[in-house]
Amino acid sequence: MTTIPGLCAALLSLLWVSSAAAMVPKTSGPTIQLDAGRLTGTTSASGDINLFLGIPFAQPPVGDLRFRLPRENAPYFGTINATVFGPACLQQTSTVDIPQDINPIAAQVLASEGGASVKGGDSEDCLTVNVITPANAAPSSKLPVVFWIYGGGFEFGGTSLYNGTVIVERSLELHDPVVYVSVNYRVAAVGFPGGSEVREAGIGNLGLHDQRLGLRWVQKYISKFGGDPEKVTIWGESAGAISVASQMITNGGDTEGLFRAAFMQSGSPLPSGPIEDGQPYFDIFATVAGCAESLGSTAVFDCLRNVSTEVIRNATNATPGISSFESLSLAWVPREDGVFFKANPQQLVVQGSVAAVPFVTGNNDDEGTIFSLTNSNLTTDDEVEAYLAKFYIVGNNSTAAVKRVLELYPDDPAQGSPFDTGSANAITPQYKRIAAILGDIVFQAPRRFFQSSRAGLQTQFAFLNKRGKSNPVVGSFHGSDTTIIYGPSDLTDYLVRFVARLDPNGATGITWPAYTPAAPSLLTLLDGVTPLTLSNDTFRLEGMQAIVEAELAHPL
């Protein structure tokens, strides 16, 4: 069966289709001098865009550097080929624990989506950045920079799936030229290990540290490509948007001058708990890797640094992935580690540990649908209650919180997701209910909590994507806005202008007002003759409030 990562990757592969011609390189490429090294890149067929791909920004995290904080790359030297993407970081491809008795329609939806993989494969030696810039950009240009962080459930993904040329080309058409940067970061067990050993070693959230080092690389070198290091906007989707939010709340909210704005699609500070919550998964991983005898001390990392990449891959794939029955209750996620996060992410928001920069954030209307396919064997109230208590609202005295959420998210298909589709798409008695709950637990409620917590403290804009409602079973599903913004489309225009001027408004589209408590306006993307409108962020108020209260008391 095709997995949910396959479904998402198939969607992302479409991002390259519409602009493949623009990526055909010329026979000779542009060059950039970095330190004592000379990068040779490639140029789009139009001649308007230069691409410098696969540039190492850190020492390869292999051998003794596996399970260590990233270290800055040595100064560049000699001739460097920057014409192809570097490999993605080691991917998790687990498909364990998918029930064989899931709903046949859910199975059909999964099977109908073809898989796609990152270009160039994956490797542990993967910490590279890509820079796509107008061909006429010079060090004196000082163009705004957008820094893309990909999604993938902190398990998979890579920069090669996204055609940043589209963004730069559209910026030229809008007369607001920008420089596009994308970064590879470690994922899954080698990027987000959990457990007491990880805390003791001080190596939690390695993938977030990778991103941070990538941002430092931008500060040091982006002017060579025509970018302005003082005008960086960090941008991401799903796990990438959660990463953007994580960069906002670390370090007491001090950006260190690494970015001036943020743009988040389907991701906010995650309602996760302490790093010890990842212990069961780390124990499985270390045991399958042959290092069980070292568990309980940091000596386990000495063992893990001496096994092969294939052993690491197989051990990672022995743990539940996003395609498993657990779905969005992920094994490898950002958690409080005492270093990158001094407290649980949502508690940091409560404490005001947030970078006071302008930001855009938004969601798809039906965030939870694709994550409610592999658990579609849940068909009764009791089964759903037990599922939530085991994986999402966990811990002592959580029963009342679970029951309150279920009370506010009834099994009435007309109130479930895909929303606004009446009794349609109810492939099981509980499918639309579960989809509504999971979408709000991980995506919608954390966004609203984040925005309300920052009310009056910084400029905010919010959006809601309701395009694709006619998609059977999944509606306006998670990730569907990514193909919109990389289209390009109206959402691309808003992104470019926000990166360039910290205001998404301009000659195209409708006026997008800032989000305030008095007027929580959502730029709403629709199908049909009226593609854009404004709506209010007032849907499912009681339900999301109950979820936020449950998450603060019982983190994922």
Side-chain angles (χ1 to χ4, degrees), residues 436-497:
I437 293 171
L438 294 194
D440 283 0
I441 281 179
V442 179
F443 301 107
Q444 290 278 21
R447 175 198 58 79
R448 186 177 286 166
F449 166 72
F450 186 47
Q451 292 207 268
S452 62
S453 298
R454 301 307 296 170
L457 299 175
Q458 59 206 104
T459 301
Q460 313 176 31
F461 297 87
F463 71 88
L464 180 66
N465 174 42
K466 301 186 76 165
R467 292 177 184 168
K469 277 293 180 180
S470 61
N471 292 320
V473 182
V474 296
S476 303
F477 61 96
H478 178 78
S480 56
D481 59 329
T482 310
T483 55
I484 293 172
I485 203 164
Y486 273 93
S489 73
D490 41 19
L491 194 56
T492 319
D493 292 3
Y494 287 118
L495 166 71
V496 167
R497 288 191 293 256

Side-chain angles (χ1 to χ4, degrees), residues 357-381:
V357 299
F359 69 86
V360 172
T361 184
N363 290 104
N364 301 287
D365 204 31
D366 302 309
E367 293 281 8
T369 51
I370 65 171
F371 304 110
S372 303
L373 298 171
T374 55
N375 49 43
S376 57
N377 60 335
L378 302 172
T379 59
T380 69
D381 291 354

Side-chain angles (χ1 to χ4, degrees), residues 296-443:
S297 77
T298 57
V300 71
F301 298 110
D302 296 328
C303 176
L304 290 170
R305 290 181 185 115
N306 285 284
V307 302
S308 69
T309 296
E310 196 57 29
V311 167
I312 293 292
R313 185 193 306 278
N314 292 337
T316 300
N317 288 341
T319 63
I322 202 170
S323 297
S324 300
F325 177 65
E326 292 92 325
S327 188
L328 288 169
S329 180
L330 301 173
W332 314 107
V333 293
R335 294 184 171 100
E336 178 273 315
D337 61 345
V339 179
F340 200 91
F341 295 135
K342 301 292 187 181
N344 297 347
Q346 286 195 336
Q347 288 298 330
L348 289 173
V349 176
V350 172
Q351 296 169 16
S353 174
V354 180
V357 299
F359 69 86
V360 172
T361 184
N363 290 104
N364 301 287
D365 204 31
D366 302 309
E367 293 281 8
T369 51
I370 65 171
F371 304 110
S372 303
L373 298 171
T374 55
N375 49 43
S376 57
N377 60 335
L378 302 172
T379 59
T380 69
D381 291 354
D382 289 345
E383 288 172 343
V384 175
E385 181 176 340
Y387 180 75
L388 293 178
K390 183 175 182 179
F391 295 116
Y392 291 92
I393 304 174
V394 183
N396 297 329
N397 304 314
S398 67
T399 301
V402 173
K403 290 184 179 297
R404 178 61 174 159
V405 169
L406 289 173
E407 175 187 336
L408 295 169
Y409 289 81
D411 60 0
D412 175 9
Q415 297 186 51
S417 181
F419 297 108
D420 304 323
T421 61
S423 60
N425 302 304
I427 59 175
T428 78
Q430 301 285 342
Y431 169 73
K432 293 184 73 175
R433 181 191 206 182
I434 297 169
I437 293 171
L438 294 194
D440 283 0
I441 281 179
V442 179
F443 301 107

Side-chain angles (χ1 to χ4, degrees), residues 212 244-254 259 269-270 340-346 348-349 353-355 450:
R212 198 82 170 181
V244 168
S246 298
Q247 299 297 339
M248 291 177 70
I249 65 175
T250 189
N251 197 40
D254 182 1
F259 56 92
L270 196 67
F340 200 91
F341 295 135
K342 301 292 187 181
N344 297 347
Q346 286 195 336
L348 289 173
V349 176
S353 174
V354 180
F450 186 47

Side-chain angles (χ1 to χ4, degrees), residues 48-49 134 136 167-178:
D48 295 333
I49 310 292
N136 61 359
I167 307 300
V168 180
E169 285 178 334
R170 184 57 183 157
S171 77
L172 292 175
E173 293 167 358
L174 293 172
H175 305 291
D176 272 324
V178 303

Side-chain angles (χ1 to χ4, degrees), residues 71 131 152 268 271 278:
R71 299 184 183 179
V131 182
S268 304

